Amino acid sequence: IKGTVEEIEERIDAGRCSAHLALRITLAATRGAREERIRFARVYAADEPAPCDDPAALVAAMSAAMARLSGEIQADVYATLRPIEGHG
């Protein structure tokens, strides 16, 4: 599994602020050091509201966004690997 941060920023729209996080995740089958086949490649994105002009709240909102995406990524990885491993 490989991941890249595509976007990490505070967004301000119509006076409302949010923490925005986008991650590009690729799951590939490998043999040794080389990739054999890409199982999936997706961009996961989340926005969590945060008070404007409050750095600590922005950090907390970004952490919540990461926790949400982590759960989505984990579920997708398991769902992809389960049939390959014969568990589903």
Side-chain angles (χ1 to χ4, degrees):
I1 187 167
K2 294 180 185 179
T4 304
V5 176
E6 294 282 314
E7 298 175 298
I8 183 169
E9 63 186 358
E10 177 182 31
R11 288 191 170 173
I12 303 169
D13 183 35
R16 295 181 182 205
C17 297
S18 64
H20 174 76
L21 177 62
L23 306 173
R24 179 176 303 279
I25 303 296
T26 303
L27 179 65
T30 58
R31 177 157 296 177
R34 65 185 183 125
E35 286 186 6
E36 293 274 315
R37 189 174 120 202
I38 293 177
R39 302 290 180 183
F40 73 74
R42 297 184 187 139
V43 174
Y44 294 83
D47 292 283
E48 289 290 330
C52 294
D53 299 319
D54 186 341
L58 179 63
V59 169
M62 194 64 72
S63 181
M66 183 64 222
R68 183 157 46 111
L69 293 184
S70 179
E72 291 176 24
I73 293 163
Q74 182 177 354
D76 287 349
V77 168
Y78 286 157
T80 300
L81 295 179
R82 191 171 294 118
I84 296 167
E85 295 176 352
H87 298 296

